[in-house]
């Protein structure tokens, strides 16, 4: 008998619903929120209100595009955390209500697990997926982690950021340069036009496999501050070179620890995930690194790098197969580790 999972994602500012049947993706609908752009960041209260407006039409669209009747669902998977509590509460409450109405079991999903397991989303039966164990570099606005994935429910964090994440470094430096929010995509676009060797910024010296990006951010800020004192138009004149140099530095920091983790674990497969894995420079650098080392690389589709319900549905699918269901007394959580 087929297993059909409805996934619901509402951890931040994207409302998403997806349908997966026997591991194959049937639909993945995402409603983004542009209201936050004028504030330079996500406003939690506005995000939760937008989720309330979007969740019913988004779920309805996902079911219709998949050609699935709600009564045929095997389970409802939803993001329980981490994320913004108000946003998570919308998705959690909707999942509970739908579950009660359909008498359908629920599966709660860790948002970070979803990013790691996004490589198991298949559009066709013969789509290639990673073999365990593999190493994941999870990079987003709030997380920079190196994770040894031994199974869908057995993951070990080898290293994590001790302050800012890579995505925060991109966005905060972009804001100093006068770029719109979110800044990461704008940095990526400008970097393609600039000279990445033009500027040099501080790199952290953190023991082990942990990351740090606050020093880089401070170095970037001081470079701009001192330059603008003598030339008020410095940023405008050098925006592309600044972006390219910043992106190169972040990639070098990421790959330095990735290389150490590969050598320490001896893995033959590396995967990346999270919003920053959509960065073209990061994708190219990781692919090149793996090719030079003779190891397999899994680079996700860009549509699976941001917050999306397809990754929630596939994580829920694995938990469903193990009958790891969720009770109605479970509540969302803002912070959690793997």
């Amino acid at each position: 008998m087929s297993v059909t999972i409805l996934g619901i994602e509402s951890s931040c500012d994207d409302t998403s619903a997806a349908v997966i049947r026997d591991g194959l993706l049937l639909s993945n609908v995402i409603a983004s929120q542009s209201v936050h752009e004028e504030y330079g960041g996500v406003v939690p209260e506005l995000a939760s209100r937008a989720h309330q407006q979007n969740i019913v039409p988004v779920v309805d669209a996902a079911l219709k595009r998949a050609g699935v009747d709600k009564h045929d669902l095997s389970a409802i998977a939803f993001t329980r955390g981490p994320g913004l509590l108000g946003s998570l509460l919308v998705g959690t409450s909707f999942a509970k209500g739908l579950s009660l109405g359909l008498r359908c079991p629920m599966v709660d999903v860790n948002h970070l697990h979803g990013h790691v397991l996004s490589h198991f989303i298949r559009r066709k039966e013969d789509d290639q997926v990673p073999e365990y164990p593999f190493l994941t570099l999870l990079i987003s606005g709030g997380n920079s982690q190196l994770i040894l994935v031994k199974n869908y429910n057995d993951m070990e964090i080898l290293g994590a950021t001790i302050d800012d994440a890579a995505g925060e470094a991109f966005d905060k430096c972009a804001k100093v340069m006068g770029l719109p929010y979110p800044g990461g995509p704008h940095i990526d676009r400008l970097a393609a036009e600039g000279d990445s060797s033009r500027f040099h910024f501080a790199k952290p010296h953190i023991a082990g496999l942990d990351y740090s990006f606050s020093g880089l951010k401070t170095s970037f800020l001081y470079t701009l501050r001192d330059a603008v004192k003598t030339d008020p138009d410095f940023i405008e004149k050098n925006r592309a070179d600044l972006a390219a140099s910043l992106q190169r530095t972040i990639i070098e920091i990421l790959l330095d620890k990735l290389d150490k983790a590969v050598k320490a674990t001896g893995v033959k497969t590396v995967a990346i995930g999270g919003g920053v894995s959509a960065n073209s420079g990061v994708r190219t650098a990781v692919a090149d690194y793996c090719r030079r080392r003779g190891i397999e690389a899994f680079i996700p589709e860009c549509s699976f790098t941001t917050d999306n319900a397809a990754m929630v549905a596939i994580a829920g699918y694995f938990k469903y197969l193990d009958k790891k269901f969720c009770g109605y007394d479970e509540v969302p959580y803002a912070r959690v580790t793997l």
Side-chain angles (χ1 to χ4, degrees), residues 204-226:
H205 298 281
I206 308 297
L209 298 177
D210 286 336
Y211 284 109
S212 170
F213 290 96
S214 65
L216 165 63
K217 182 187 65 179
T218 302
S219 173
F220 186 86
L221 175 61
Y222 284 168
T223 296
L224 266 61
R225 185 195 64 180
D226 294 341

mmCIF file of all heavy atoms in Angstrom, residues 204-226:
data_model
loop_
_atom_site.group_PDB
_atom_site.id
_atom_site.type_symbol
_atom_site.label_atom_id
_atom_site.label_comp_id
_atom_site.label_asym_id
_atom_site.label_seq_id
_atom_site.Cartn_x
_atom_site.Cartn_y
_atom_site.Cartn_z
ATOM 1 N N PRO A 204 39.164 33.449 11.052
ATOM 2 C CA PRO A 204 39.265 32.984 12.439
ATOM 3 C C PRO A 204 40.254 31.820 12.570
ATOM 4 O O PRO A 204 40.520 31.099 11.609
ATOM 5 C CB PRO A 204 37.848 32.519 12.752
ATOM 6 C CG PRO A 204 37.317 32.086 11.415
ATOM 7 C CD PRO A 204 37.909 33.029 10.413
ATOM 8 N N HIS A 205 40.774 31.658 13.757
ATOM 9 C CA HIS A 205 41.632 30.513 14.072
ATOM 10 C C HIS A 205 40.993 29.781 15.251
ATOM 11 O O HIS A 205 41.402 29.949 16.405
ATOM 12 C CB HIS A 205 43.049 30.967 14.394
ATOM 13 C CG HIS A 205 43.733 31.658 13.249
ATOM 14 N ND1 HIS A 205 44.288 30.972 12.191
ATOM 15 C CD2 HIS A 205 43.920 32.981 12.977
ATOM 16 C CE1 HIS A 205 44.798 31.834 11.326
ATOM 17 N NE2 HIS A 205 44.583 33.052 11.778
ATOM 18 N N ILE A 206 39.984 28.989 14.937
ATOM 19 C CA ILE A 206 39.221 28.260 15.940
ATOM 20 C C ILE A 206 39.654 26.804 15.936
ATOM 21 O O ILE A 206 39.725 26.165 14.877
ATOM 22 C CB ILE A 206 37.702 28.349 15.662
ATOM 23 C CG1 ILE A 206 37.281 29.822 15.492
ATOM 24 C CG2 ILE A 206 36.904 27.679 16.762
ATOM 25 C CD1 ILE A 206 37.494 30.668 16.716
ATOM 26 N N ALA A 207 39.935 26.288 17.114
ATOM 27 C CA ALA A 207 40.385 24.901 17.213
ATOM 28 C C ALA A 207 39.282 23.937 16.798
ATOM 29 O O ALA A 207 38.089 24.235 16.916
ATOM 30 C CB ALA A 207 40.846 24.601 18.635
ATOM 31 N N GLY A 208 39.687 22.757 16.345
ATOM 32 C CA GLY A 208 38.718 21.720 16.013
ATOM 33 C C GLY A 208 37.935 22.037 14.752
ATOM 34 O O GLY A 208 38.448 22.651 13.811
ATOM 35 N N LEU A 209 36.666 21.626 14.740
ATOM 36 C CA LEU A 209 35.826 21.762 13.554
ATOM 37 C C LEU A 209 34.747 22.825 13.711
ATOM 38 O O LEU A 209 33.830 22.912 12.882
ATOM 39 C CB LEU A 209 35.179 20.409 13.222
ATOM 40 C CG LEU A 209 36.157 19.282 12.871
ATOM 41 C CD1 LEU A 209 35.404 17.967 12.643
ATOM 42 C CD2 LEU A 209 36.981 19.637 11.642
ATOM 43 N N ASP A 210 34.835 23.636 14.751
ATOM 44 C CA ASP A 210 33.862 24.711 14.943
ATOM 45 C C ASP A 210 34.145 25.883 14.013
ATOM 46 O O ASP A 210 35.290 26.122 13.605
ATOM 47 C CB ASP A 210 33.862 25.196 16.395
ATOM 48 C CG ASP A 210 33.189 24.212 17.338
ATOM 49 O OD1 ASP A 210 32.357 23.420 16.861
ATOM 50 O OD2 ASP A 210 33.508 24.232 18.539
ATOM 51 N N TYR A 211 33.091 26.644 13.726
ATOM 52 C CA TYR A 211 33.185 27.817 12.863
ATOM 53 C C TYR A 211 33.039 29.103 13.673
ATOM 54 O O TYR A 211 32.485 29.112 14.773
ATOM 55 C CB TYR A 211 32.075 27.791 11.805
ATOM 56 C CG TYR A 211 32.309 26.832 10.662
ATOM 57 C CD1 TYR A 211 31.544 25.673 10.542
ATOM 58 C CD2 TYR A 211 33.271 27.093 9.705
ATOM 59 C CE1 TYR A 211 31.732 24.801 9.483
ATOM 60 C CE2 TYR A 211 33.475 26.223 8.647
ATOM 61 C CZ TYR A 211 32.713 25.083 8.542
ATOM 62 O OH TYR A 211 32.913 24.219 7.505
ATOM 63 N N SER A 212 33.517 30.200 13.072
ATOM 64 C CA SER A 212 33.295 31.532 13.619
ATOM 65 C C SER A 212 33.317 32.514 12.451
ATOM 66 O O SER A 212 34.207 32.458 11.604
ATOM 67 C CB SER A 212 34.384 31.911 14.630
ATOM 68 O OG SER A 212 34.278 33.285 14.984
ATOM 69 N N PHE A 213 32.325 33.402 12.415
ATOM 70 C CA PHE A 213 32.265 34.397 11.344
ATOM 71 C C PHE A 213 32.176 35.832 11.873
ATOM 72 O O PHE A 213 32.123 36.765 11.078
ATOM 73 C CB PHE A 213 31.080 34.104 10.421
ATOM 74 C CG PHE A 213 31.256 32.875 9.588
ATOM 75 C CD1 PHE A 213 30.718 31.664 10.003
ATOM 76 C CD2 PHE A 213 31.970 32.912 8.403
ATOM 77 C CE1 PHE A 213 30.886 30.512 9.247
ATOM 78 C CE2 PHE A 213 32.149 31.768 7.641
ATOM 79 C CZ PHE A 213 31.608 30.560 8.066
ATOM 80 N N SER A 214 32.155 36.009 13.192
ATOM 81 C CA SER A 214 32.024 37.359 13.734
ATOM 82 C C SER A 214 33.271 38.199 13.454
ATOM 83 O O SER A 214 33.186 39.395 13.189
ATOM 84 C CB SER A 214 31.740 37.313 15.237
ATOM 85 O OG SER A 214 32.834 36.756 15.934
ATOM 86 N N GLY A 215 34.457 37.573 13.510
ATOM 87 C CA GLY A 215 35.691 38.300 13.245
ATOM 88 C C GLY A 215 35.772 38.781 11.810
ATOM 89 O O GLY A 215 36.224 39.897 11.535
ATOM 90 N N LEU A 216 35.326 37.935 10.881
ATOM 91 C CA LEU A 216 35.278 38.324 9.483
ATOM 92 C C LEU A 216 34.350 39.513 9.293
ATOM 93 O O LEU A 216 34.688 40.485 8.594
ATOM 94 C CB LEU A 216 34.804 37.149 8.633
ATOM 95 C CG LEU A 216 34.353 37.468 7.201
ATOM 96 C CD1 LEU A 216 35.507 38.027 6.387
ATOM 97 C CD2 LEU A 216 33.765 36.236 6.542
ATOM 98 N N LYS A 217 33.192 39.455 9.913
ATOM 99 C CA LYS A 217 32.217 40.540 9.800
ATOM 100 C C LYS A 217 32.797 41.855 10.333
ATOM 101 O O LYS A 217 32.658 42.913 9.700
ATOM 102 C CB LYS A 217 30.964 40.170 10.593
ATOM 103 C CG LYS A 217 29.836 41.185 10.530
ATOM 104 C CD LYS A 217 28.728 40.810 11.479
ATOM 105 C CE LYS A 217 29.193 40.880 12.918
ATOM 106 N NZ LYS A 217 28.127 40.552 13.886
ATOM 107 N N THR A 218 33.498 41.777 11.474
ATOM 108 C CA THR A 218 34.103 42.975 12.061
ATOM 109 C C THR A 218 35.210 43.512 11.165
ATOM 110 O O THR A 218 35.327 44.732 10.960
ATOM 111 C CB THR A 218 34.664 42.647 13.456
ATOM 112 O OG1 THR A 218 33.613 42.153 14.283
ATOM 113 C CG2 THR A 218 35.266 43.884 14.096
ATOM 114 N N SER A 219 36.031 42.626 10.614
ATOM 115 C CA SER A 219 37.107 43.039 9.713
ATOM 116 C C SER A 219 36.544 43.732 8.482
ATOM 117 O O SER A 219 37.071 44.754 8.027
ATOM 118 C CB SER A 219 37.934 41.818 9.306
ATOM 119 O OG SER A 219 38.875 42.127 8.313
ATOM 120 N N PHE A 220 35.466 43.190 7.956
ATOM 121 C CA PHE A 220 34.810 43.784 6.783
ATOM 122 C C PHE A 220 34.295 45.182 7.120
ATOM 123 O O PHE A 220 34.480 46.131 6.351
ATOM 124 C CB PHE A 220 33.668 42.873 6.342
ATOM 125 C CG PHE A 220 32.993 43.298 5.065
ATOM 126 C CD1 PHE A 220 33.499 42.902 3.843
ATOM 127 C CD2 PHE A 220 31.840 44.075 5.086
ATOM 128 C CE1 PHE A 220 32.876 43.274 2.657
ATOM 129 C CE2 PHE A 220 31.220 44.452 3.913
ATOM 130 C CZ PHE A 220 31.741 44.049 2.692
ATOM 131 N N LEU A 221 33.669 45.311 8.271
ATOM 132 C CA LEU A 221 33.110 46.589 8.694
ATOM 133 C C LEU A 221 34.194 47.638 8.862
ATOM 134 O O LEU A 221 34.055 48.784 8.403
ATOM 135 C CB LEU A 221 32.351 46.415 10.020
ATOM 136 C CG LEU A 221 31.793 47.681 10.667
ATOM 137 C CD1 LEU A 221 30.778 48.349 9.749
ATOM 138 C CD2 LEU A 221 31.153 47.350 12.011
ATOM 139 N N TYR A 222 35.313 47.283 9.490
ATOM 140 C CA TYR A 222 36.409 48.227 9.718
ATOM 141 C C TYR A 222 37.057 48.639 8.395
ATOM 142 O O TYR A 222 37.461 49.802 8.231
ATOM 143 C CB TYR A 222 37.453 47.617 10.646
ATOM 144 C CG TYR A 222 37.030 47.597 12.107
ATOM 145 C CD1 TYR A 222 37.745 46.854 13.045
ATOM 146 C CD2 TYR A 222 35.923 48.307 12.544
ATOM 147 C CE1 TYR A 222 37.369 46.826 14.379
ATOM 148 C CE2 TYR A 222 35.530 48.289 13.867
ATOM 149 C CZ TYR A 222 36.254 47.542 14.783
ATOM 150 O OH TYR A 222 35.870 47.525 16.108
ATOM 151 N N THR A 223 37.172 47.692 7.458
ATOM 152 C CA THR A 223 37.748 48.014 6.156
ATOM 153 C C THR A 223 36.911 49.083 5.467
ATOM 154 O O THR A 223 37.451 50.068 4.933
ATOM 155 C CB THR A 223 37.814 46.754 5.266
ATOM 156 O OG1 THR A 223 38.691 45.805 5.865
ATOM 157 C CG2 THR A 223 38.321 47.101 3.877
ATOM 158 N N LEU A 224 35.597 48.909 5.481
ATOM 159 C CA LEU A 224 34.717 49.888 4.848
ATOM 160 C C LEU A 224 34.723 51.213 5.587
ATOM 161 O O LEU A 224 34.757 52.286 4.972
ATOM 162 C CB LEU A 224 33.295 49.318 4.768
ATOM 163 C CG LEU A 224 32.937 48.607 3.462
ATOM 164 C CD1 LEU A 224 33.845 47.403 3.244
ATOM 165 C CD2 LEU A 224 31.483 48.167 3.476
ATOM 166 N N ARG A 225 34.708 51.158 6.918
ATOM 167 C CA ARG A 225 34.667 52.392 7.704
ATOM 168 C C ARG A 225 35.903 53.254 7.445
ATOM 169 O O ARG A 225 35.787 54.462 7.222
ATOM 170 C CB ARG A 225 34.598 52.050 9.190
ATOM 171 C CG ARG A 225 34.435 53.258 10.110
ATOM 172 C CD ARG A 225 34.738 52.910 11.551
ATOM 173 N NE ARG A 225 36.142 52.510 11.711
ATOM 174 C CZ ARG A 225 36.675 52.153 12.875
ATOM 175 N NH1 ARG A 225 35.929 52.124 13.964
ATOM 176 N NH2 ARG A 225 37.948 51.811 12.932
ATOM 177 N N ASP A 226 37.071 52.628 7.460
ATOM 178 C CA ASP A 226 38.312 53.385 7.256
ATOM 179 C C ASP A 226 38.411 53.914 5.832
ATOM 180 O O ASP A 226 38.895 55.036 5.612
ATOM 181 C CB ASP A 226 39.525 52.485 7.562
ATOM 182 C CG ASP A 226 39.598 52.095 9.029
ATOM 183 O OD1 ASP A 226 38.956 52.775 9.853
ATOM 184 O OD2 ASP A 226 40.275 51.101 9.343
#
